[in-house]
Amino acid sequence: MRKPLISVENFSLDFVTDEKITHALQHISFQIERGKTLALVGESGSGKSVSALSILRLLPLPQAKMVSGKIIFNEDEKEGIDLAQLGEKEMNLIRGKKIGMIFQEPMTSLNPLMTCGQQVAETLVMHKKISTSQAYHETIKWFAEVKLPEPELIFSKYPHELSGGQKQRVMISMAICCEPLLLIADEPTTALDVTVQKTILDLLKELQRKMGMAILFITHDLSLVKYLADEVLIMYQSRCIESGSVDKIFSNPTETYTKGLLSCRPPTTHRVKFLQTVQEFMNETIEINPQTNRVTASTFENKLNDLSKQAIIFECKNLEIHYPLRTNFWGKVTAWHNAVQGVNLQIHTGETMGLVGESGCGKTSVGKAMVLLNKISGGEILYKGKNISDFSRSELADYKRQVQIIFQDPYSSLNPRISIGQAIKEPMEVHQIHNEKNRKEKVIDLLNKVGLLPEHYHRYPHEFSGGQRQRICIARTLALEPEFIICDESVSALDVSIQAQVLNLLSVLRDEFNLSYLFISHDLGVIKHISNRVAVMHQGKICELNDAETIYHSPKADYTKFLLESTFS
């Protein structure tokens, strides 16, 4: 019987600081067979990424301290190598060559000072010991393999010049160019829209079939697990609590936590007011009555009618946003990219307008224009009936407090040099809201509301997971008590249980304070759950606008149908 490619045996790891010892992994055990995919699933902070980084020995020393166990890598049928005991020199021969990794955030994983091609070629030169000329041709071949358009052109482009999906493909080509035996994919499709997400997963499956490599797939999205994985391992609070085949885990889970994870996604068959959270499942404090929580068709229709009678808080009229593509020698623009073309949108007070579409369709450009981060090229944006370009200085100051945006990338949204307590408190100081004592109390209250702890007040952004950083950004936005919030993929980086908690929080705040939202997302299930109406964008234009139920169940536009067909269920 063939040995598994990798076997993690009773592995424990601590993070040691001056203040305390954190048990990051406790007695973890799993195996990955050659040519198979194991999905590692769990909430932020459960130990998923730490498990992957432990295999590659990429955790910081001496803070990361191995307590017990082995990580056996069976490259061939000879005696396996214990990666946990290898020296740095030997590990460098394995990293990138025999075990590749796709990281969660491609923008922070790619070097902004090197072209995309140079970064892949560097890997090839290092591990395959080939010339730079050979590396160039190999890189072009791999760019074509991962279906990047115009590989020769992409070779000379920098990361910031590519879309999210293209950057992720560059990362994949870098991870597989040395044809590794194991590919570790850490949330590789989190920030991608549904069509690109499906393309990337199909690409991974195709490459796996061609190369026979094993995949360790780390995710919080259970629908992706169903589509891609052979085996599933559920992690909770640094432990493995349940494992088995995909069919077994989805049809007959045994652990309460696993059942909770499966239940907290927005249902596709009906509409609910609030989502069940994993915490409620675990603590058996289920306060949601399924009968009263269900939103009937007539209730949803009545709500739409009520909202249509409310005042229009935001309106885009023939909105145009153009970006310069090329300039001549004298700096004059010779070519433009028409990102947004004649968009008309009305949002009523108390309404949540969903905005969906593929990467590059103009969704974020519209949202940024609303908060004055994009210069508009034509048309106008009205707030409470007044053109925002006509605001006086005092009106503009008030507008900047009342209209807030939660950005997609939490890492680049937070200042790494200030604590998260200060980051949340700073907007209140700028706008002179509350006194100093009350500000700290307000920050702690907001941390509790988004599922963080009071002791996190003095910690810095790098000490949190991606999902936790996004919750910090949401808390910072809520600190100014705004009237209108633009959520730009604000829950895409969150695991399903925290996603349910945050969506419930946004719903409660909307009803309590009569807030209005523009909710930008690639997750059509989330959009359907949170939105009253949905606008579908394609190539800078709105191709369909209707109530959420009609968009989801009876789409009219071909592009909307295509988006829904690309969705994982």
Side-chain angles (χ1 to χ4, degrees):
M1 190 173 178
R2 291 190 78 185
K3 295 176 182 177
L5 178 64
I6 198 143
S7 180
V8 178
E9 302 171 5
N10 197 37
F11 188 78
S12 297
L13 181 134
D14 290 346
F15 285 133
V16 182
T17 62
D18 294 337
E19 293 83 23
K20 63 173 184 175
I21 296 174
T22 303
H23 303 305
L25 295 174
Q26 300 182 65
H27 309 293
I28 299 293
S29 295
F30 61 84
Q31 296 179 343
I32 308 175
E33 304 291 337
R34 289 169 172 80
K36 298 290 184 181
T37 300
L38 171 70
L40 213 53
V41 181
E43 295 178 87
S44 295
S46 63
K48 307 188 300 294
S49 294
V50 174
S51 300
L53 294 171
S54 296
I55 292 173
L56 282 171
R57 299 272 302 280
L58 289 175
L59 292 167
L61 298 173
Q63 293 90 342
K65 182 183 178 185
M66 195 192 92
V67 178
S68 66
K70 299 177 180 178
I71 303 173
I72 306 298
F73 181 54
N74 295 300
E75 184 181 346
D76 45 40
E77 293 305 312
K78 298 173 187 175
E79 189 175 346
I81 307 165
D82 185 0
L83 300 181
Q85 301 300 326
L86 278 191
E88 189 64 19
K89 190 176 179 181
E90 290 86 354
M91 275 305 303
N92 281 334
L93 298 175
I94 291 175
R95 291 190 197 112
K97 187 176 182 182
K98 296 172 183 176
I99 303 177
M101 184 161 184
I102 307 166
F103 293 94
Q104 184 173 356
E105 296 170 344
M107 198 61 225
T108 53
S109 304
L110 293 169
N111 187 336
L113 301 178
M114 291 174 68
T115 68
C116 296
Q118 285 173 336
Q119 298 186 56
V120 178
E122 183 183 53
T123 304
L124 287 164
V125 170
M126 183 188 300
H127 290 295
K128 288 195 169 184
K129 310 298 181 189
I130 58 178
S131 69
T132 52
S133 174
Q134 289 173 299
Y136 170 80
H137 293 292
E138 279 267 305
T139 301
I140 297 299
K141 184 197 89 173
W142 282 110
F143 279 177
E145 190 74 34
V146 298
K147 297 179 173 61
L148 275 165
E150 300 179 277
E152 292 86 357
L153 190 62
I154 296 286
F155 187 98
S156 57
K157 284 196 171 186
Y158 289 87
H160 73 272
E161 297 180 277
L162 305 184
S163 70
Q166 289 173 332
K167 283 197 286 276
Q168 200 60 284
R169 288 174 205 226
V170 171
M171 282 291 298
I172 292 172
S173 62
M174 196 186 305
I176 65 169
C177 65
C178 294
E179 301 183 42
L181 297 169
L182 172 66
L183 177 66
I184 300 173
D186 187 3
E187 304 273 11
T189 60
T190 294
L192 304 179
D193 57 71
V194 285
T195 53
V196 178
Q197 200 174 68
K198 190 171 190 298
T199 306
I200 294 292
L201 292 186
D202 286 340
L203 174 63
L204 287 177
K205 288 170 84 170
E206 185 184 333
L207 292 168
Q208 183 181 38
R209 201 163 43 244
K210 281 183 183 178
M211 298 164 61
M213 65 184 176
I215 296 177
L216 176 60
F217 189 78
I218 300 169
T219 185
H220 61 253
D221 191 333
L222 291 160
S223 57
L224 302 187
V225 171
K226 211 171 183 178
Y227 185 75
L228 186 72
D230 301 298
E231 299 284 321
V232 185
L233 180 71
I234 307 292
M235 291 192 71
Y236 178 62
Q237 292 184 348
S238 74
R239 296 176 182 272
C240 299
I241 62 164
E242 186 167 6
S243 63
S245 68
V246 169
D247 290 340
K248 174 189 173 295
I249 294 294
F250 277 84
S251 61
N252 189 29
T254 56
E255 293 292 326
T256 306
Y257 177 73
T258 310
K259 293 174 185 175
L261 274 183
L262 292 167
S263 73
C264 62
R265 282 284 298 164
T268 56
T269 53
H270 60 279
R271 197 176 185 87
V272 295
K273 294 176 187 173
F274 298 105
L275 297 170
Q276 182 79 60
T277 67
V278 174
Q279 287 74 18
E280 290 169 337
F281 243 91
M282 294 295 289
N283 300 330
E284 297 183 347
T285 56
I286 301 171
E287 298 174 1
I288 298 175
N289 185 320
Q291 277 71 41
T292 57
N293 190 42
R294 188 162 183 157
V295 178
T296 63
S298 59
T299 305
F300 179 68
E301 198 171 320
N302 290 337
K303 180 66 175 175
L304 284 174
N305 290 333
D306 290 342
L307 286 170
S308 67
K309 295 170 188 172
Q310 296 294 317
I312 294 170
I313 189 169
F314 244 113
E315 184 173 10
C316 297
K317 284 187 174 180
N318 298 314
L319 185 63
E320 300 269 344
I321 300 172
H322 306 156
Y323 298 118
L325 274 182
R326 285 187 294 276
T327 56
N328 62 18
F329 180 79
W330 292 276
K332 185 180 179 181
V333 179
T334 57
W336 294 86
H337 169 57
N338 301 331
V340 177
Q341 304 174 51
V343 163
N344 291 289
L345 202 61
Q346 291 183 339
I347 303 171
H348 295 267
T349 302
E351 180 182 22
T352 300
M353 172 68 76
L355 192 59
V356 295
E358 292 180 273
S359 294
C361 72
K363 309 185 300 291
T364 297
S365 293
V366 171
K368 284 185 173 180
M370 287 178 166
V371 288
L372 306 169
L373 291 176
N374 268 347
K375 188 177 180 182
I376 67 172
S377 308
E380 54 187 3
I381 297 173
L382 307 180
Y383 179 67
K384 295 184 178 178
K386 188 169 182 179
N387 193 329
I388 62 174
S389 61
D390 296 334
F391 281 167
S392 65
R393 181 173 289 187
S394 61
E395 285 175 323
L396 200 57
D398 187 54
Y399 176 79
K400 287 179 177 178
R401 185 182 77 80
Q402 296 291 359
V403 179
Q404 292 291 306
I405 185 168
I406 304 166
F407 291 102
Q408 180 176 351
D409 181 4
Y411 193 81
S412 57
S413 301
L414 293 167
N415 186 337
R417 295 185 176 184
I418 64 173
S419 69
I420 63 117
Q422 184 59 36
I424 298 170
K425 190 171 68 168
E426 189 177 48
M428 290 189 267
E429 292 172 342
V430 170
H431 290 276
Q432 298 180 333
I433 301 172
H434 309 302
N435 58 39
E436 184 58 32
K437 182 186 175 186
N438 290 341
R439 282 173 194 153
K440 185 167 183 178
E441 290 173 358
K442 178 72 174 174
V443 170
I444 290 170
D445 179 54
L446 287 167
L447 288 173
N448 286 324
K449 276 189 173 178
V450 297
L452 294 169
L453 301 171
E455 52 262 39
H456 291 153
Y457 185 97
H458 296 290
R459 292 191 192 173
Y460 289 82
H462 73 273
E463 298 180 77
F464 295 90
S465 68
Q468 288 171 322
R469 284 197 290 265
Q470 191 61 288
R471 283 182 263 167
I472 293 162
C473 292
I474 291 169
R476 182 179 58 182
T477 298
L478 296 173
L480 290 177
E481 301 168 3
E483 290 184 349
F484 188 91
I485 299 177
I486 298 158
C487 304
D488 186 7
E489 301 281 9
S490 56
V491 295
S492 65
L494 305 180
D495 56 72
V496 285
S497 58
I498 299 303
Q499 191 177 83
Q501 187 181 332
V502 170
L503 289 172
N504 286 346
L505 171 64
L506 291 172
S507 297
V508 168
L509 292 168
R510 177 185 60 192
D511 297 339
E512 188 177 341
F513 300 107
N514 204 29
L515 294 176
S516 309
Y517 297 126
L518 175 65
F519 204 93
I520 301 168
S521 179
H522 64 256
D523 190 326
L524 292 167
V526 167
I527 281 282
K528 175 179 176 280
H529 167 75
I530 194 84
S531 304
N532 306 111
R533 291 187 300 149
V534 177
V536 182
M537 279 193 78
H538 181 49
Q539 295 181 346
K541 299 176 182 178
I542 291 178
C543 65
E544 187 166 4
L545 198 161
N546 216 322
D547 68 82
E549 293 296 317
T550 301
I551 287 281
Y552 200 87
H553 296 293
S554 305
K556 302 290 187 295
D558 290 339
Y559 178 71
T560 310
K561 293 173 185 174
F562 168 69
L563 272 185
L564 289 164
E565 285 165 6
S566 303
T567 305
F568 299 97
S569 58

